Amino acid sequence: MDRVLTDKGIALGVTGSVACYKAVDLASKLTQLGARVDVVMTPAAAKFVMPLAFRSITGRPVFVDMFDPESETAEQHVAIARRISGMVIAFSMMAATGPKW
């Protein structure tokens, strides 16, 4: 596989839904393409997929609570924005559009 994203920073936003496990696969594929993937999860997403899964795949810290004053990454949301080339938000269409029944 070509490493077309070598040294490109990608922020992967993951929201809570049963489908967020597919974001783990996406993080893996982006990493295999050479991207530096920073995963930002909602607390609800962290209930479906543990942040450790993303950390294991990307080799980078995972951000769940950007306002945690005890975290060494408490201000990383600004640093992430400065170092990325693009952002992907993995969300559930059901959550975005609501049920149609």
Side-chain angles (χ1 to χ4, degrees):
M1 186 180 302
D2 290 333
R3 295 179 55 86
V4 297
L5 294 177
T6 298
D7 295 327
K8 298 290 183 190
I10 303 290
L12 175 59
V14 183
T15 65
S17 80
V18 112
C20 72
Y21 74 92
K22 291 191 175 225
V24 176
D25 183 51
L26 178 59
S28 176
K29 288 178 178 166
L30 290 170
T31 301
Q32 289 171 27
L33 290 171
R36 290 183 322 271
V37 180
D38 287 311
V39 178
V40 181
M41 301 177 74
T42 64
K47 291 182 179 183
F48 285 100
V49 177
M50 292 186 63
L52 180 61
F54 287 104
R55 185 180 185 118
S56 297
I57 287 169
T58 65
R60 301 179 63 78
V62 176
F63 306 95
V64 178
D65 184 359
M66 69 179 181
F67 297 112
D68 179 5
E70 301 301 316
S71 170
E72 63 186 52
T73 59
E75 296 174 4
Q76 283 297 314
H77 61 286
V78 175
I80 291 170
R82 289 185 177 143
R83 70 176 170 244
I84 63 172
S85 299
M87 182 168 194
V88 176
I89 306 290
F91 65 95
S92 166
M93 287 305 294
M94 182 69 155
T97 62
K100 299 294 184 197
W101 59 84

Short mmCIF file of all heavy atoms in Angstrom, two decimals, residues 5 9 28 30 32 53 60 62 69 76 79 92:
data_model
loop_
_atom_site.label_atom_id
_atom_site.label_comp_id
_atom_site.label_asym_id
_atom_site.label_seq_id
_atom_site.Cartn_x
_atom_site.Cartn_y
_atom_site.Cartn_z
N LEU A 5 -0.18 9.43 2.61
CA LEU A 5 -0.43 10.43 3.65
C LEU A 5 0.78 10.62 4.57
O LEU A 5 0.65 11.16 5.66
CB LEU A 5 -1.65 10.03 4.48
CG LEU A 5 -2.98 10.03 3.73
CD1 LEU A 5 -4.10 9.54 4.64
CD2 LEU A 5 -3.31 11.41 3.20
N GLY A 9 -0.93 15.25 9.12
CA GLY A 9 -1.68 15.13 10.37
C GLY A 9 -3.17 15.06 10.07
O GLY A 9 -3.69 15.89 9.33
N SER A 28 -6.74 2.78 11.61
CA SER A 28 -5.71 1.84 11.18
C SER A 28 -5.31 2.10 9.74
O SER A 28 -4.11 2.16 9.41
CB SER A 28 -6.21 0.40 11.35
OG SER A 28 -5.27 -0.51 10.85
N LEU A 30 -5.68 4.86 7.92
CA LEU A 30 -5.00 6.15 7.79
C LEU A 30 -3.55 6.05 8.27
O LEU A 30 -2.64 6.59 7.65
CB LEU A 30 -5.75 7.23 8.58
CG LEU A 30 -7.10 7.66 8.01
CD1 LEU A 30 -7.84 8.54 9.02
CD2 LEU A 30 -6.94 8.39 6.69
N GLN A 32 -1.72 3.31 8.32
CA GLN A 32 -0.98 2.51 7.34
C GLN A 32 -0.59 3.34 6.11
O GLN A 32 0.43 3.05 5.46
CB GLN A 32 -1.82 1.31 6.90
CG GLN A 32 -1.97 0.25 7.96
CD GLN A 32 -2.98 -0.81 7.58
OE1 GLN A 32 -3.22 -1.07 6.41
NE2 GLN A 32 -3.59 -1.42 8.59
N ALA A 53 -7.83 1.24 22.35
CA ALA A 53 -7.84 0.62 21.01
C ALA A 53 -7.23 1.58 19.99
O ALA A 53 -6.42 1.17 19.15
CB ALA A 53 -9.26 0.23 20.61
N ARG A 60 -0.45 7.08 19.33
CA ARG A 60 -0.56 8.46 19.80
C ARG A 60 -1.60 8.55 20.91
O ARG A 60 -2.48 7.72 21.00
CB ARG A 60 -0.93 9.38 18.64
CG ARG A 60 0.09 9.32 17.49
CD ARG A 60 -0.28 10.19 16.33
NE ARG A 60 -0.31 11.60 16.66
CZ ARG A 60 0.76 12.38 16.78
NH1 ARG A 60 1.96 11.88 16.63
NH2 ARG A 60 0.63 13.66 17.07
N VAL A 62 -4.92 9.61 22.94
CA VAL A 62 -6.31 9.80 22.52
C VAL A 62 -6.93 10.84 23.45
O VAL A 62 -6.71 10.80 24.66
CB VAL A 62 -7.09 8.47 22.60
CG1 VAL A 62 -8.54 8.67 22.27
CG2 VAL A 62 -6.45 7.45 21.66
N PRO A 69 -8.20 19.38 33.79
CA PRO A 69 -7.03 20.15 34.21
C PRO A 69 -5.88 19.28 34.70
O PRO A 69 -4.74 19.73 34.75
CB PRO A 69 -7.56 21.04 35.34
CG PRO A 69 -8.77 20.33 35.85
CD PRO A 69 -9.34 19.57 34.68
N GLN A 76 -4.17 20.46 24.47
CA GLN A 76 -3.76 19.87 23.20
C GLN A 76 -4.75 20.13 22.07
O GLN A 76 -4.40 20.03 20.91
CB GLN A 76 -3.52 18.37 23.35
CG GLN A 76 -2.22 18.06 24.01
CD GLN A 76 -1.04 18.55 23.19
OE1 GLN A 76 -0.97 18.34 22.00
NE2 GLN A 76 -0.10 19.21 23.84
N ALA A 79 -3.21 22.63 19.96
CA ALA A 79 -2.03 22.10 19.26
C ALA A 79 -2.45 21.17 18.12
O ALA A 79 -1.84 21.20 17.04
CB ALA A 79 -1.12 21.37 20.24
N SER A 92 -22.64 8.72 13.64
CA SER A 92 -23.76 7.88 13.21
C SER A 92 -24.79 8.72 12.49
O SER A 92 -25.24 9.74 13.01
CB SER A 92 -24.39 7.22 14.44
OG SER A 92 -25.63 6.67 14.12
#
